[in-house]
Amino acid sequence: MAVNAGSSSLKFQLINMPSEEVITSGLVERIGQEVGNFVIKVNGEKIQTQTPIPDHQVAVDLLLNALVDHHIVESLEEIDAVGHRVVHGGEDFDDSVVVDEEAVKKVADLAELAPLHNPANIIGYKAFKEALPDHVGHVFVFDTAFHQTLDKERYLYPLPLEYYTDLKVRKYGAHGTSHKYVSQQAIEMLGNPKESRIIVCHLGNGASVSAVQDGKCIDTSMGFTPLAGIMMGTRSGDVDPSVIDYLIEEVGLDMKEVIKMLNKESGLLGVSGVSSDFRDVQEAAANGNERAQLALDIFFRRVIAYIGRYFIALGGVDAICFTAGIGENSFFARKEICNLLAEALGIEIDDDANVNGKGDRLISTPNSKVKVYVIPTNEELVIARDTKRLLNL
Ligand code: AMP
């Protein structure tokens, strides 16, 4: 069972290993609100239940009972292990880990760095631990672990060094599970060469770019928090920090309000004034909305700025990969980004493969100097694979 528990939601996939077949998937939403929502796939059909779901324990019980009631499993004994996504592993975890008391304590301590996420991840773990027999193994899979291979000169901010040594202020990155999965798929698609230079563009509502050399992440665009890097649905990405002080002085906002603005009111939403959803912004731009067009133009330029930076860091690039909501689904976004790179990197896109293809695929032409791939991300599969590997199942 691969689990992604948020503060008011819980997504799950039950995966048969080693065949990697998804047996069922679904989510519980609005945990703690008056009426919760539970969706589970049974024989390919989504079954939805609306009922009060006061806490994560109730959510987990609801989900486990549904597995048995719908005969997805005959008994809960069939579940061998649970892999839990954990947002922040700090410097303590450079790989997934079998859960023990020490791991729980460390994840709880790291809540200082991810106050919205880590506590929810622990609550999710405890609910499954409580509901399933004791022999069921649990594994934490960290969203930061893949980025722990960054060198000091790339993860350190040029601040007084004490802020790192005393307070661990540094770049951690995020979306690591996705960057790991996509870069591994790309290496396979390149024919498993010994040496490879890959740039992964995870373009969803949250968005990040990473540079992967010979399977190891050497740099990534998110920072101390997921606010840094490229422009996102509602997040600004990189801005000069002096803007914060200026807005506090000039507009009379307080610090919390400015940080909220940067996280929730910026990005595609803030520039376009239309929506944080790429499709809405694209549609508005096509209908002549100039702010929407400007939002798209900034978005694309911020993506290529990181690609350029990582091209240099990697000493060249063999493959650029697109993944997540925008990266997987928008042939328009891929084409615009690749057009902006065409001259500098000698990229040529195969329009038919870009527009009409499905699943993992090459979308560049044989003449292209860089291969361009679309690789739908699969974080749940990484969670299942790591869980199986660490528990020797
Ligand atoms: P994610 O956070 O990975 O679920 O991605 C969400 C983003 O993907 C939103 O901005 C959506 O508008 C965008 N998205 C999803 N499907 C499409 C599509 N067919 N074309 C363009 N953008 C899409």
Side-chain angles (χ1 to χ4, degrees), residues 9 34 49 82 93 115 133 164 171 201 214 306 312 335 339:
S9 70
E34 217 164 282
T49 316
V82 186
F93 300 100
Y164 167 65
K171 175 187 280 205
C201 304
D214 309 337
Y306 267 94
I312 301 293
K335 179 78 180 175
N339 275 347

Side-chain angles (χ1 to χ4, degrees), residues 182-260:
V182 172
S183 56
Q184 283 177 352
Q185 290 294 107
I187 290 170
E188 249 184 78
M189 290 165 84
L190 286 169
N192 291 314
K194 245 195 170 153
E195 294 178 349
S196 56
R197 300 162 301 178
I198 292 167
I199 296 175
V200 179
C201 304
H202 176 112
L203 308 179
N205 188 39
S208 60
V209 182
S210 69
V212 182
Q213 187 153 33
D214 309 337
K216 283 202 174 122
C217 187
I218 64 159
D219 209 349
T220 192
S221 62
M222 282 179 167
F224 180 60
T225 73
L227 179 54
I230 57 173
M231 176 179 178
M232 308 177 213
T234 60
R235 278 172 256 168
S236 61
D238 300 339
V239 292
D240 179 345
S242 302
V243 167
I244 297 172
D245 179 52
Y246 184 76
L247 291 181
I248 290 171
E249 293 289 320
E250 293 292 314
V251 187
L253 298 177
D254 68 26
M255 177 65 88
K256 275 216 160 81
E257 287 167 330
V258 179
I259 298 296
K260 182 171 162 248

Side-chain angles (χ1 to χ4, degrees), residues 29-145:
E29 296 173 291
R30 298 198 208 111
I31 299 171
Q33 294 180 23
E34 217 164 282
V35 183
N37 188 34
F38 170 47
V39 184
I40 185 165
K41 259 195 192 168
V42 181
N43 299 323
E45 210 176 296
K46 278 187 184 166
I47 297 189
Q48 190 166 348
T49 316
Q50 300 207 317
T51 177
I53 306 170
D55 58 36
H56 285 71
Q57 194 67 57
V58 175
V60 169
D61 291 340
L62 192 68
L63 139 68
L64 293 175
N65 288 337
L67 293 179
V68 178
D69 292 347
H70 292 297
H71 300 286
I72 294 165
V73 296
E74 287 316 312
S75 93
L76 295 179
E77 294 290 320
E78 288 175 37
I79 300 173
D80 294 311
V82 186
H84 304 265
R85 175 176 183 239
V86 176
V87 163
H88 217 306
E91 290 190 321
D92 293 324
F93 300 100
D94 60 4
D95 191 4
S96 304
V97 69
V98 176
V99 184
D100 57 15
E101 260 178 49
E102 196 192 337
V104 175
K105 184 174 178 312
K106 279 184 176 166
V107 170
D109 290 346
L110 286 164
E112 281 175 16
L113 299 179
L116 295 179
H117 295 103
N118 275 28
N121 301 150
I122 293 184
I123 291 171
Y125 156 70
K126 287 191 171 157
F128 275 96
K129 176 107 182 106
E130 181 70 29
L132 290 170
D134 279 348
H135 62 80
V136 173
H138 294 262
V139 166
F140 283 158
V141 179
F142 300 94
D143 229 19
T144 47

Side-chain angles (χ1 to χ4, degrees), residues 202-206 268 276-280 282 324-326 329-330:
H202 176 112
L203 308 179
N205 188 39
L268 290 173
S276 62
D277 190 289
F278 190 86
R279 286 164 292 197
D280 297 342
Q282 187 185 338
I326 302 165
N329 297 305
S330 175

